Amino acid sequence: CSSANSGWLFEGCNGHWLTSYTGPRNSVNLNVNAPLTETAMFFPGVAVSTGSGGSVSYSYDAKSGVVNESSKSTIYVPAGTKVSFSANPSSPLTPLRAWHGDVTGTSSSISVMVDSPLRVNAEFSNDYLLPGSLIFFIAVVAVVIAIRRSRKRRANLQEIT
């Protein structure tokens, strides 16, 4: 029937006449004694990758899956399929920085209509602002407490003398 180009997966042949072939093989022998039509079916691939810091879940039709942290996987879907992706940070300190490849954006969820092979990459960042802010806040509270205690001690000492 046929073979696939790079980025595509041969899914099968669909015959339209009695002597035609329908099935998953890409090479068959047929005795042609009448008109026949063979349609080769190819699915475009979506190469999904993640860096360190999180995973990507995907869903389309009734199917779903996950590409784990620091991994790559290619999913093949029928052309014209809408695929949804969600970035899943492994901790609050590694939020999604951006989507790269054939889709871009910074929202944690995106959807794309797949008509040809695509690349999707989720880049997670190390967000040190949150722990740094927390440490700064704790330090400020500690200084305020220390100043109040110091003032209270001075006031107590002045009352004694």
Side-chain angles (χ1 to χ4, degrees):
C1 189
S2 191
S3 60
N5 288 333
S6 178
W8 294 83
L9 174 70
F10 174 77
E11 184 62 21
C13 291
N14 190 7
H16 301 285
W17 298 96
L18 291 177
T19 59
S20 298
Y21 169 74
T22 296
R25 296 187 315 196
N26 66 348
S27 179
V28 295
N29 293 322
L30 299 172
N31 290 323
V32 180
N33 54 15
L36 63 90
T37 302
E38 292 287 337
T39 302
M41 296 174 293
F42 297 93
F43 286 4
V46 181
V48 183
S49 60
T50 68
S52 62
S55 63
V56 171
S57 56
Y58 61 86
S59 63
Y60 62 95
D61 297 336
K63 298 176 182 164
S64 62
V66 174
V67 177
N68 294 320
E69 181 174 350
S70 300
S71 297
K72 296 178 182 179
S73 182
T74 301
I75 58 173
Y76 294 93
V77 300
T81 299
K82 180 180 178 180
V83 180
S84 297
F85 298 95
S86 293
N88 310 307
S90 55
S91 87
L93 301 180
T94 57
L96 176 73
R97 178 175 286 161
W99 295 98
H100 299 288
D102 294 309
V103 295
T104 58
T106 56
S107 174
S108 63
S109 296
I110 60 168
S111 294
V112 63
M113 188 67 70
V114 180
D115 289 316
S116 62
L118 300 174
R119 292 174 297 110
V120 176
N121 175 265
E123 178 189 2
F124 296 91
S125 64
N126 290 322
D127 188 358
Y128 297 112
L129 183 59
L130 178 64
S133 298
L134 185 60
I135 290 169
F136 177 76
F137 176 75
I138 291 170
V140 168
V141 169
V143 168
V144 168
I145 290 172
I147 291 171
R148 285 186 178 177
R149 285 183 179 170
S150 175
R151 288 181 182 169
K152 191 173 185 179
R153 283 188 199 133
R154 284 185 196 160
N156 288 343
L157 286 175
Q158 289 177 353
E159 287 178 11
I160 295 175
T161 56

